[in-house]
């Protein structure tokens, strides 16, 4: 999708969404995920390429002829109508027979737990109830696909967790192809059967959530997926070890990047790869750190400590003129997840264990993963990422 001013909102996306799949499009604000959803729906013109729904080319069809239903960030309910009327309005417009419309509305109301609210108006409902009505209005249509644009973003944190579970249950029951847009990677990981990570109008990687987490193809995906975020720092290969700041760790046999000794790399360690040395396996290497911050969260705790090396992000690498010069005076602050009731105290030393089989390595120039599985010789990186065109 190219706008008249030359801005490219969606750039060369080649994606197949399987029948009955829950596909999540995730990425930072402005990455093109909503534009892509609007193109699928017909609300945004496609300047190049094709869109197929159920093997039918719908690129030039009006939205109403694509047999899809959308759920927006705003509930967009008619305030003067009851829940029953809101649910059935789309069927009324399509002149569905009254008996059939009544059956569908009551069935969806049972499915979403709205039976006791059918006579209420939106002003009498909570935020979660309104969102269920908005979803019900889409479901009652029985479309070929649901398109959802950040439908939970207006809800409070506790309600979002509850609604995520409800959405998963709903998809399991209905089995309708769903494309779901969010900037929240927790939503993406918990809802998606597959997740497409987008940036600058392009899809960087499409995979099952756990594979995105364990095998990110580049530094951006690694940093974006996972909560808390992966610790990233400038490092150097040194024989069978990796050196970062005042620390060094041995390389695990299964996590050895093909780089010569002395090569600069980006090292990634997720907070959960750490642990209290007293509780970890004896074979795990140890880091003696000085605690900067302790966060007690009940079920676990987070310990922050400083590393005498520059912190890294994909933005850091791109902002660097030659992609190698970094701010040498800046120090990385690492986050380590430890057991609740930790003995860690601010300003005191602490011994942390690290699982070397969970280290990640990225090229300091290209930001590509140095551990990504090689692609079959007959497939390009784009084909591996997106599977097949639609």
């Amino acid at each position: 999708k190219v706008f008249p001013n030359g801005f490219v909102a969606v750039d060369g996306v080649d994606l197949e969404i399987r029948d009955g799949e829950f596909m999540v499009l995730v990425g930072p604000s402005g990455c093109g995920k909503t534009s892509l959803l609007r193109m699928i729906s017909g609300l945004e013109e496609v300047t190049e390429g094709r869109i197929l729904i159920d093997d039918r080319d719908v690129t030039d069809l009006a939205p109403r002829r694509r047999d899809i239903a959308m759920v927006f960030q705003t509930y967009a309910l008619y305030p003067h109508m009851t829940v029953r009327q809101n649910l059935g309005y789309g069927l009324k417009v399509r002149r569905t027979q009254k008996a059939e419309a009544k059956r569908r509305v009551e069935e969806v109301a049972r499915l979403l737990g709205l039976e006791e609210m059918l006579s209420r108006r939106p002003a009498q409902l909570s935020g979660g109830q309104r969102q269920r009505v908005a979803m019900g209005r889409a479901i009652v249509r029985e479309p070929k696909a649901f398109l959802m644009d950040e439908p939970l973003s207006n809800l409070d944190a506790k309600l979002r967790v509850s609604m995520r579970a409800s959405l998963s249950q709903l998809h399991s029951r209905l089995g309708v192809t769903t494309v779901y847009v969010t900037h929240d990677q927790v939503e993406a990981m918990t809802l998606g059967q597959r997740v497409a990570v987008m940036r600058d109008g392009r899809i960087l990687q499409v995979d099952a959530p756990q594979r995105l987490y364990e095998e990110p193809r580049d530094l951006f995906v690694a940093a974006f997926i996972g909560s808390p975020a992966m610790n990233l720092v400038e490092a150097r290969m040194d024989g069978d070890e990796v050196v970062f700041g005042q620390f060094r760790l041995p390389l695990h046999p299964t996590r050895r990047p093909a780089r010569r000794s002395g090569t600069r790399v980006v090292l990634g360690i997720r907070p959960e790869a750490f642990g209290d040395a007293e509780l970890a396996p004896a074979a795990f290497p140890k880091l003696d750190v000085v605690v900067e911050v302790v966060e007690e969260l009940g079920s676990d705790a987070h310990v922050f400590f400083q590393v005498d090396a520059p912190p890294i992000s994909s933005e850091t690498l791109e902002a660097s003129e030659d992609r190698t010069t970094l701010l040498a005076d800046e120090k990385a602050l690492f986050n380590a997840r430890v057991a609740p009731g930790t003995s860690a105290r601010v300003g005191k030393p602490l011994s942390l264990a690290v699982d070397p089989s969970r280290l990640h390595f990225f090229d300091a120039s290209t930001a590509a993963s140095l551990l990504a599985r090689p692609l079959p010789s007959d497939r390009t990186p784009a084909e591996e990422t997106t599977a097949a065109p639609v």
Side-chain angles (χ1 to χ4, degrees):
K1 170 63 181 179
V2 182
F3 286 95
N5 63 2
F7 174 72
V8 181
V10 177
D11 188 6
V13 168
D14 194 5
L15 177 66
E16 178 182 1
I17 300 168
R18 300 160 187 157
D19 186 32
E21 183 175 31
F22 199 118
M23 169 66 76
V24 176
L25 306 178
V26 68
S29 297
C31 71
K33 52 190 185 296
T34 293
S35 294
L36 179 56
L37 194 78
R38 289 172 61 84
M39 289 163 67
I40 296 171
S41 70
L43 298 177
E44 201 72 66
E45 180 187 357
V46 176
T47 54
E48 187 178 335
R50 295 191 306 156
I51 297 172
L52 305 179
I53 297 178
D54 200 16
D55 293 327
R56 182 173 67 122
D57 190 338
V58 300
T59 311
D60 298 319
L61 292 184
R64 62 186 176 82
R65 297 182 59 196
R66 298 192 181 199
D67 198 12
I68 50 90
M70 286 198 73
V71 180
F72 298 95
Q73 181 176 347
T74 53
Y75 312 127
L77 302 179
Y78 296 106
H80 62 287
M81 293 184 182
T82 64
V83 169
R84 182 187 294 277
Q85 291 168 330
N86 267 285
L87 290 175
Y89 184 72
L91 299 178
K92 181 179 179 181
V93 169
R94 286 165 181 77
R95 299 182 179 178
T96 304
Q97 290 187 353
K98 288 185 178 181
E100 173 64 10
K102 183 174 183 294
R103 181 192 68 78
R104 288 199 205 176
V105 166
E106 291 178 353
E107 185 178 312
V108 168
R110 281 195 302 273
L111 185 67
L112 297 174
L114 296 171
E115 292 172 286
E116 305 300 320
M117 306 167 198
L118 287 173
S119 60
R120 298 184 191 177
R121 286 185 167 79
Q124 299 171 290
L125 304 177
S126 67
Q129 290 167 342
R130 291 180 198 178
Q131 192 56 273
R132 276 188 280 159
V133 175
M135 290 178 187
R137 188 173 53 188
I139 293 167
V140 79
R141 293 251 323 272
E142 298 182 358
K144 283 192 171 66
F146 295 131
L147 307 181
M148 301 189 180
D149 189 7
E150 305 204 45
L152 308 185
S153 60
N154 286 337
L155 306 179
D156 61 56
K158 184 176 180 180
L159 193 51
R160 277 202 303 271
V161 174
S162 171
M163 288 299 294
R164 284 205 307 263
S166 297
L167 267 174
S168 292
Q169 288 179 318
L170 199 57
H171 182 261
S172 296
R173 293 177 189 174
L174 299 175
V176 177
T177 306
T178 301
V179 186
Y180 186 101
V181 162
T182 181
H183 65 274
D184 185 336
Q185 58 93 19
V186 175
E187 275 186 24
M189 294 288 284
T190 53
L191 284 172
Q193 292 173 326
R194 282 194 304 156
V195 177
V197 181
M198 295 190 66
R199 187 188 191 196
D200 297 333
R202 294 177 176 271
I203 291 180
L204 301 184
Q205 185 173 352
V206 182
D207 260 316
Q210 197 60 29
R211 188 175 173 194
L212 281 176
Y213 175 82
E214 294 175 351
E215 301 180 44
R217 288 211 167 272
D218 67 17
L219 191 145
F220 179 83
V221 175
F224 194 83
I225 298 296
S227 181
M230 181 185 287
N231 300 297
L232 296 164
V233 68
E234 181 183 11
R236 174 175 51 84
M237 305 306 299
D238 186 15
D240 291 332
E241 296 181 314
V242 60
V243 179
F244 58 110
Q246 70 273 42
F247 304 115
R248 61 175 57 234
L249 288 171
L251 299 176
H252 191 270
T254 64
R255 312 289 285 184
R256 299 176 67 91
R259 289 294 185 270
R260 296 191 308 271
S261 186
T263 303
R264 192 174 70 88
V265 298
V266 176
L267 171 66
I269 311 178
R270 293 201 181 276
E272 47 272 32
F274 292 98
D276 285 301
E278 297 175 355
L279 305 175
F284 280 9
K286 310 294 189 295
L287 299 182
D288 294 321
V289 307
V290 176
V291 178
E292 298 282 338
V293 178
V294 179
E295 292 182 348
E296 296 273 7
L297 302 179
S299 59
D300 57 18
H302 293 267
V303 171
F304 293 81
F305 62 94
Q306 202 168 69
V307 176
D308 296 335
I312 299 291
S313 69
S314 52
E315 290 77 14
T316 307
L317 292 176
E318 290 174 358
S320 175
E321 187 174 348
D322 62 1
R323 300 179 74 88
T324 58
T325 305
L326 298 166
L327 297 175
D329 59 341
E330 197 174 349
K331 296 183 178 180
L333 191 65
F334 266 37
N335 178 357
R337 178 179 285 168
V338 296
T342 178
S343 60
R345 296 294 179 267
V346 174
K348 300 295 184 181
L350 179 70
S351 184
L352 291 172
V354 187
D355 183 351
S357 70
R358 301 184 70 180
L359 301 184
H360 294 262
F361 297 91
F362 304 91
D363 188 285
S365 297
T366 66
S369 171
L370 299 176
L371 300 174
R373 286 188 284 181
L375 301 178
S377 57
D378 61 338
R379 299 184 71 183
T380 67
E383 288 173 330
E384 170 70 10
T385 298
T386 59
V390 143

